[in-house]
Amino acid sequence: MATGNSYKIWLRHETKAKEQRVTLTPAGCAKLIEKGYSVTVEKSPTRIIPDAEYEKVDGVVMAETNAWRGLPHDDKLLIVGLKELGTPEEHEGILSAADGSVVNRHTYFAHVYKGQDGWEQVLEAYKKGNDRGLLYDYEYLWNQNKHNVGAAMSPFAGFVGSAQGIRAWCWQMLHEGDSALPQITPSTKAKIVEDLKGQLKEVAEKYPDQSPPKVMVMGALGRCGTGARECAHSCGLETIDWDMEETKAGGPFPQILDADIFVNCILLQGKMPPFLTKEMIDGANGSRKLRVISDVSCDPTSEFNPIPVYDHITSWEKPTLRVRDGPVPLDVISVDNLPSVLAEEASYAFGDVLLPLLLEYPESSCWEDSAKIYRENIEKLASKKQKV
């Protein structure tokens, strides 16, 4: 247990475009201070919870935006964020120290342990810090009940991923040709469902003989899949639910081509046979119903990617990537911060899960277990460089 002001929690501003979520709420800050931690909050013009709410908390110190980048090494400091510290291109020279090294401890979604683009640059920045920096990745941080912290965002990712898939299907049906899906905007669950019901009604009026779209959810029994099914069912749509039992024989799975919308919600943990291939799509010979792939798992650059039909993520501004043209076009949605569409709801839910671990930092074994995975990947990086 922390005593006095020995341990320091620093909430940083998020630099990723369209990212409004936050992992530590004002109420959470108050509980940390009550427990003896010192808490610093960077000012942020984009955070869903305004700076003024943090300023009301007795004991919170406000810092300038991105002030963490100039901080010297401090063994007692944990810098708390949500998404990446910066793009891979930014890692040289501006991340922390002047040489691009990371010299303090961080916790956030790093997306670097599955061979994603830029993983070597990110871990190299930590390695340059000579063991002063350390990464506790939310995807590899478990509480005492062995529940993954990062999974707290999963229901929101699944809900929005399913919503965007349905929206893209409706857009295709209502706007024939090459017209691209308009940009994604922040919303609430209730408003999303209301809008989608209206769009589905428009499709039904335009095509009276058209059946409602069938939504296939891969990883349907997990938290992300549960969110995806919630959205579809709220819109009155049928879901085809697949999980470990249905996929145990290994892919590819031609049944995906029979769904109108495919939402991939699995937690990618290693190499597996692909769910879907380019050859399957091209060999469908006009029988393909599939129009939209919403890849919530979003690992197109990983060597483990189970949907190798596209090679880069999409964005809020341009949500879809057209991978096949023709009478039945095929679009992919692969946006890596979908829960930010529901920024306020997701922030409070995630904060409730993370706070108990922060209140036990660094004594809880949860933190050391995550650190072990970090060190294993640093060794993996060193081993790879030796082989070159």
Side-chain angles (χ1 to χ4, degrees):
M1 179 184 298
T3 57
N5 289 323
S6 57
Y7 287 99
K8 309 168 187 177
I9 304 297
W10 184 293
L11 179 63
R12 63 174 171 84
H13 160 73
E14 298 295 326
T15 58
K16 188 176 182 66
K18 304 295 184 180
E19 189 54 77
Q20 293 183 289
R21 290 172 293 169
V22 62
T23 55
L24 183 58
T25 66
C29 292
K31 289 182 179 179
L32 285 164
I33 292 168
E34 182 181 341
K35 190 78 176 283
Y37 295 85
S38 66
V39 177
T40 300
V41 176
E42 288 187 356
K43 297 175 183 177
S44 175
T46 56
R47 189 182 292 135
I48 192 66
I49 301 176
D51 292 343
E53 295 302 309
Y54 291 93
E55 291 169 354
K56 292 177 184 177
V57 179
D58 188 27
V60 164
V61 175
M62 300 300 293
E64 294 303 312
T65 303
N66 292 327
W68 71 269
R69 286 178 168 161
L71 296 175
H73 171 67
D74 186 340
D75 279 335
K76 302 294 186 179
L77 176 66
L78 176 65
I79 300 174
V80 179
L82 180 73
K83 298 296 284 184
E84 300 91 339
L85 300 180
T87 66
E89 292 75 23
E90 291 176 327
H91 285 152
E92 191 61 45
I94 69 168
L95 271 190
S96 189
D99 63 352
S101 65
V102 178
V103 299
N104 281 303
R105 299 182 178 197
H106 291 261
T107 185
Y108 60 98
F109 287 107
H111 305 299
V112 292
Y113 292 164
K114 301 173 189 173
Q116 296 99 325
D117 272 358
W119 76 272
E120 293 170 276
Q121 290 164 286
V122 175
L123 292 183
E124 186 63 38
Y126 279 90
K127 192 170 181 293
K128 279 183 181 180
N130 296 319
D131 295 325
R132 293 175 296 170
L134 199 153
L135 169 63
Y136 303 105
D137 191 309
Y138 292 138
E139 284 194 74
Y140 301 86
L141 182 63
W142 294 268
N143 63 21
Q144 298 290 3
N145 295 321
K146 302 302 179 184
H147 293 154
N148 177 252
V149 170
M153 285 292 182
S154 297
F156 299 95
F159 189 98
V160 179
S162 183
Q164 294 305 316
I166 298 166
R167 187 170 79 103
W169 183 87
C170 291
W171 184 265
Q172 280 190 23
M173 300 299 290
L174 295 171
H175 302 82
E176 297 177 7
D178 297 328
S179 177
L181 184 69
Q183 69 176 3
I184 298 171
T185 56
S187 192
T188 64
K189 283 186 176 182
K191 185 66 167 62
I192 286 172
V193 171
E194 178 187 350
D195 290 345
L196 291 177
K197 283 183 173 179
Q199 293 164 31
L200 288 164
K201 183 179 179 182
E202 284 186 59
V203 174
E205 291 172 349
K206 183 176 180 179
Y207 301 102
D209 297 329
Q210 172 69 48
S211 299
K214 292 183 178 179
V215 182
M216 183 175 188
V217 180
M218 191 70 81
L221 301 183
R223 293 187 184 185
C224 185
T226 298
R229 290 187 293 121
E230 178 194 350
C231 178
H233 295 164
S234 297
C235 295
L237 298 179
E238 174 187 342
T239 58
I240 304 166
D241 301 337
W242 277 40
D243 208 88
M244 295 180 69
E245 178 63 26
E246 291 78 8
T247 60
K248 63 184 180 182
F253 303 110
Q255 296 93 326
I256 294 172
L257 300 175
D258 296 329
D260 298 283
I261 302 163
F262 175 55
V263 186
N264 179 38
C265 295
I266 69 160
L267 174 61
L268 186 61
Q269 294 182 311
K271 194 169 182 60
M272 65 177 70
F275 295 156
L276 188 67
T277 66
K278 295 177 181 178
E279 291 74 20
M280 282 174 57
I281 294 170
D282 293 335
N285 296 322
S287 64
R288 170 173 57 84
K289 290 185 64 179
L290 184 67
R291 285 177 173 266
V292 180
I293 299 170
S294 184
D295 189 6
V296 182
S297 299
C298 198
D299 286 301
T301 63
S302 170
E303 60 182 309
F304 306 143
N305 176 24
I307 309 178
V309 302
Y310 74 109
D311 60 5
H312 64 274
I313 63 172
T314 58
S315 66
W316 284 48
E317 292 79 10
K318 296 181 179 180
T320 55
L321 172 67
R322 179 64 52 91
V323 294
R324 290 296 183 275
D325 289 305
V328 182
L330 180 58
D331 289 330
V332 173
I333 299 169
S334 182
V335 179
D336 65 358
N337 63 335
L338 286 175
S340 197
V341 172
L342 302 170
E344 186 169 8
E345 297 166 79
S347 294
Y348 281 101
F350 190 83
D352 287 345
V353 174
L354 179 63
L355 181 61
L357 271 71
L358 291 176
L359 289 168
E360 296 179 349
Y361 177 81
E363 280 79 10
S364 170
S365 61
C366 303
W367 295 100
E368 180 53 34
D369 289 344
S370 183
K372 287 178 183 177
I373 296 173
Y374 160 76
R375 295 186 186 104
E376 288 170 4
N377 280 274
I378 288 292
E379 291 176 6
K380 177 182 175 182
L381 175 66
S383 177
K384 182 174 181 178
K385 293 186 74 173
Q386 287 175 357
K387 293 178 181 178
V388 176

